[in-house]
Amino acid sequence: MTQMTETRSTLRRALALVLLYAAATLVGGVIFVALLRAALALLGPGVMFYRGVGALIVDFFLLIALVAASAARLPRRLGIDGADALGAAIVATSLLLAAFVLGPITADRSISVFMLSQFEAADRPLTAAEARDAFVRVYVDDWAQIDRRLKEQALSGNLEQGPDGWRLTAQGRAFMKTARALSSIFGGDPRFVGRKN
């Protein structure tokens, strides 16, 4: 009978943890979106990635407090404690970071997403040359995406502007070294990180 009671207790705790982590992720997602929108309204567009990381840090600490307060009100038989609140906040923040990078950041930075939007807006099939021309005309010229990237990299500390043009900083060189290492490990296209092969 004791073993059966222990099994039920373990299953009850496991189910309570899954529900706690799911609730923390849902609540954390709502807080995260609200923080991102508030940062956009207060700070302007800036670099979306850095706004998101800042919002996630604030979200993490808010989640710890909210989940700990909620866990304290749960029945003791569920076995949820303060450490579980920290675990729920870590899991929720990690999932939100992954979703943020795979979703909005990818869509905001992706040339592929831009290209697909051009095909969606076209009322007919496009040739490769038309897609390339649309990219240069709209993405590069009209939307000034090169200027945007230069400003973002200056804001990040990877580039600095001098009288003769833009120059890579020491931080930028360190970033490129890291980017090459990651590209090599994960089999990325070497051309994007300045590797010959």
Side-chain angles (χ1 to χ4, degrees), residues 5-168:
T5 304
E6 284 181 21
T7 301
R8 283 183 185 160
S9 176
T10 301
L11 288 173
R12 186 171 41 240
R13 176 169 159 67
L15 179 59
L17 282 172
V18 168
L19 293 174
L20 181 71
Y21 284 23
T25 304
L26 180 63
V27 170
V30 170
I31 293 170
F32 178 53
V33 169
L35 288 169
L36 271 177
R37 289 179 180 257
L40 182 61
L42 292 172
L43 305 174
V47 181
M48 182 190 282
F49 178 75
Y50 295 123
R51 277 197 335 263
V53 169
L56 278 172
I57 291 168
V58 173
D59 195 5
F60 173 71
F61 289 109
L62 289 173
L63 274 176
I64 291 173
L66 289 171
V67 176
S70 299
R73 294 183 176 156
L74 293 174
R76 287 192 181 278
R77 62 187 166 90
L78 295 177
I80 303 296
D81 58 22
D84 297 321
L86 177 62
I90 290 170
V91 168
T93 305
S94 298
L95 290 172
L96 291 170
L97 176 62
F100 177 60
V101 170
L102 291 173
I105 293 297
T106 298
D108 185 61
R109 318 295 294 178
S110 176
I111 293 171
S112 297
V113 172
F114 167 81
M115 183 184 67
L116 291 173
S117 76
Q118 298 304 296
F119 280 92
E120 180 184 43
D123 57 356
R124 60 180 177 74
L126 299 176
T127 65
E130 289 171 323
R132 183 186 63 245
D133 292 345
F135 173 77
V136 172
R137 181 176 34 80
V138 177
Y139 194 87
V140 175
D141 293 337
D142 295 350
W143 293 359
Q145 290 300 297
I146 300 300
D147 293 338
R148 174 186 174 196
R149 298 306 193 269
L150 289 170
K151 289 174 186 169
E152 287 178 352
Q153 292 305 313
L155 193 64
S156 302
N158 293 327
L159 286 177
E160 61 186 3
Q161 188 173 21
D164 298 331
W166 295 91
R167 165 175 303 138
L168 201 62

